[in-house]
Amino acid sequence: MNAPYDERLGILHADMDAFYAAVECLDDPSLCGQPLIIGHPGRRGVVSTASYEARRYGVHSAMPSVEALRLCPVGVWRSPRMGRYTELSQQIREIFGRYTPLVEPISVDEAFLDVFGSLRLFGGALAIATQLQQTVEDETGGLTVSIGVAPNKFLAKLASDLDKPRGISVIDPDRVEEQLAPLPIRRLWGVGKKSEARLHALGLTTIGDVVRFGEESLVRQLGDVHGRHLFALARGRDTRRVQVEHTAKSISTESTFAHDLRELDQIDRFLFGAAESVAESLRKSGFVARTVQLKVRSGSFHTYTRASTLDSPTDLPQVLYEEGRRLFDEKIDLRGEGIRLLGLGAKGLLSSDTLLQGDLFQPPESTDSRAADVSDQIRKKLGRSAITRARLLGDSRQDSDEEPQ
């Protein structure tokens, strides 16, 4: 850039560095500098993320755990703690909100920020990125963030990955194509392994190659929509805006088990624990659910998804559990197979205010409702593990790879 202030630069992409691993090191400094892998080392486990020390061995997110164990036998493993990651994610988003109200979270560890309206207040996008990076590090106790600064979302996300960890990268509006040209085509949104192989077959290996190939040639090879989209990105063009309002569509939890479940009491205990977790998330988020969804994957990888609509929206675990169990009993035929994955979800979400509008036929507050309120208060004061249902002691999910969503 020729100057630190440019009114054409107003989109930031903030991406926390190896977030899960960094949080584990924050809470346990003895892990710092070690090849730390977050995930489950079992034969069916998957790597959630890895520290930069582990990445030097070739370990990366979404890699099967058995492969990670082979590549990095000295790796130190820790199970994901989604509650802790979410807690810090919320703290970080509050920091983002000090610089602009236009924040679009993408996941617990990354977000887009539209700072066009804050440029003069803070002295430009680069100044905002610098202040934001330092504030996050200071107020979280050491977590670092890499930030991309650009005219649009695609370029900002691309930039945030150019100088990790703790980097700030700027895409100069006057040199967009020049900066993009040498980058590999996999940097373009929408280019996965299959698309990359197809483009390589056409002799296209860099973003610059895509531009030189030409828009009409791409359209002939990839079709109108995909071809024009890819060409626009290769030229650095992206008209999407930062979206602030995202209404949750569902809340769910699922687990992949180290050993197939076959015993009904294990299945029953999991469903009740999942219902408890989903119901708690509903209440925290201020939602009630109209629909319960069950997901079952057999040992032979056949997946069943079944759903039903409730008579009245709910945020209570007993209701979610009973409907999930009914779906399992009446709608699932495993033909003698065990269960590899089991999940329970709530869909058709409404604001919990819906229940407060009054229903002449609605029964008074139930015991389940009062128990849920008391549980929420205890967990808020003493932590999530301070109280649990007696039937969940010895929960079968201890031997699982849980994936809360």
Side-chain angles (χ1 to χ4, degrees):
M1 283 185 60
N2 297 323
Y5 184 91
D6 189 325
E7 291 189 347
R8 296 171 296 175
L9 292 170
I11 303 296
L12 308 184
H13 180 256
D15 191 6
M16 300 302 296
D17 299 317
F19 184 53
Y20 294 3
V23 172
E24 297 302 328
C25 291
L26 181 70
D27 291 348
D28 182 359
S30 69
L31 297 172
C32 294
Q34 297 198 51
L36 179 61
I37 304 171
I38 308 302
H40 300 277
R43 62 189 177 88
R44 292 180 173 179
V46 176
V47 174
S48 294
T49 192
S51 67
Y52 290 98
E53 291 80 5
R55 294 182 190 190
R56 296 191 188 108
Y57 289 83
V59 178
H60 57 77
S61 61
M63 171 181 283
S65 295
V66 290
E67 178 69 5
L69 285 164
R70 185 185 66 80
L71 291 172
C72 185
V74 296
V76 178
W77 290 77
R78 290 291 184 272
S79 297
R81 296 184 297 149
M82 291 305 301
R84 176 61 170 150
Y85 307 149
T86 301
E87 175 189 341
L88 283 165
S89 175
Q90 292 171 344
Q91 180 185 354
I92 293 163
R93 288 179 192 175
E94 187 276 326
I95 295 172
F96 292 167
R98 300 176 198 172
Y99 295 91
T100 175
L102 303 178
V103 178
E104 179 182 350
I106 305 302
S107 64
V108 293
D109 61 348
E110 62 176 317
F112 286 109
L113 292 78
D114 181 335
V115 297
F116 279 109
S118 309
L119 295 178
R120 294 191 181 278
L121 180 62
F122 293 101
L126 186 58
I128 292 173
T130 303
Q131 293 176 45
L132 191 153
Q133 187 181 70
Q134 191 62 54
T135 303
V136 167
E137 190 166 352
D138 290 343
E139 295 193 13
T140 62
L143 298 181
T144 63
V145 58
S146 295
I147 302 175
V149 182
N152 61 51
K153 291 172 75 172
F154 163 63
L155 294 175
K157 183 169 176 62
L158 184 147
S160 68
D161 199 40
L162 295 179
D163 186 22
K164 276 184 158 292
R166 204 180 183 278
I168 295 177
S169 299
V170 181
I171 300 294
D172 186 340
D174 294 321
R175 299 178 51 242
V176 170
E177 291 192 33
E178 178 184 340
Q179 288 183 268
L180 293 184
L183 299 177
I185 55 172
R186 65 176 177 272
R187 296 279 192 176
L188 294 173
W189 262 340
V191 175
K193 290 184 178 180
K194 291 183 178 179
S195 298
E196 184 179 24
R198 186 171 181 181
L199 290 168
H200 282 177
L202 297 172
L204 311 178
T205 59
T206 67
I207 295 177
D209 291 338
V210 173
V211 174
R212 287 186 289 273
F213 192 65
E215 184 173 20
E216 295 308 318
S217 298
L218 274 179
V219 167
R220 284 194 295 272
Q221 294 292 332
L222 305 178
D224 188 73
V225 175
H226 191 43
R228 296 192 191 283
H229 169 72
L230 212 60
F231 188 77
L233 293 183
R235 300 289 301 274
R237 299 170 183 167
D238 183 11
T239 60
R240 294 168 307 151
R241 296 185 178 184
V242 171
Q243 301 291 325
V244 179
E245 293 295 333
H246 280 299
T247 302
K249 294 181 179 179
S250 65
I251 292 175
S252 64
T253 184
E254 63 183 41
S255 290
T256 301
F257 302 99
H259 305 283
D260 289 353
L261 293 190
R262 293 182 178 274
E263 300 298 327
L264 196 57
D265 66 326
Q266 292 180 313
I267 297 167
D268 192 67
R269 191 160 59 241
F270 171 84
L271 288 176
F272 193 86
E276 180 88 1
S277 176
V278 170
E280 183 183 358
S281 295
L282 284 169
R283 294 192 298 273
K284 280 185 177 180
S285 303
F287 290 121
V288 289
R290 292 178 297 178
T291 301
V292 176
Q293 179 169 291
L294 179 72
K295 180 179 178 181
V296 181
R297 182 170 295 148
S298 69
S300 62
F301 289 86
H302 185 85
T303 301
Y304 307 81
T305 304
R306 303 289 185 267
S308 65
T309 300
L310 301 167
D311 292 334
S312 300
T314 190
D315 59 5
L316 297 178
Q318 188 67 29
V319 178
L320 297 176
Y321 159 73
E322 288 176 357
E323 192 60 24
R325 180 59 193 269
R326 186 190 69 79
L327 286 170
F328 182 82
D329 291 340
E330 298 179 7
K331 305 292 184 181
I332 303 297
D333 181 6
L334 291 168
R335 296 181 174 85
E337 290 192 78
I339 296 175
R340 184 180 191 275
L341 176 147
L342 190 56
L344 188 72
K347 300 173 63 179
L349 305 189
L350 302 170
S351 169
S352 55
D353 292 341
T354 304
L355 292 182
L356 304 179
Q357 294 174 0
D359 183 344
L360 289 174
F361 303 101
Q362 186 173 335
E365 185 181 24
S366 67
T367 303
D368 286 337
S369 180
R370 291 196 298 274
D373 289 341
V374 171
S375 297
D376 290 345
Q377 292 172 24
I378 292 173
R379 286 168 177 157
K380 185 175 182 180
K381 181 176 291 187
L382 301 177
R384 198 176 189 284
S385 61
I387 185 170
T388 190
R389 304 263 182 168
R391 70 188 299 174
L392 295 180
L393 295 176
D395 190 343
S396 65
R397 287 184 296 167
Q398 293 175 356
D399 192 28
S400 68
D401 298 336
E402 188 169 357
E403 302 166 8
Q405 301 168 12

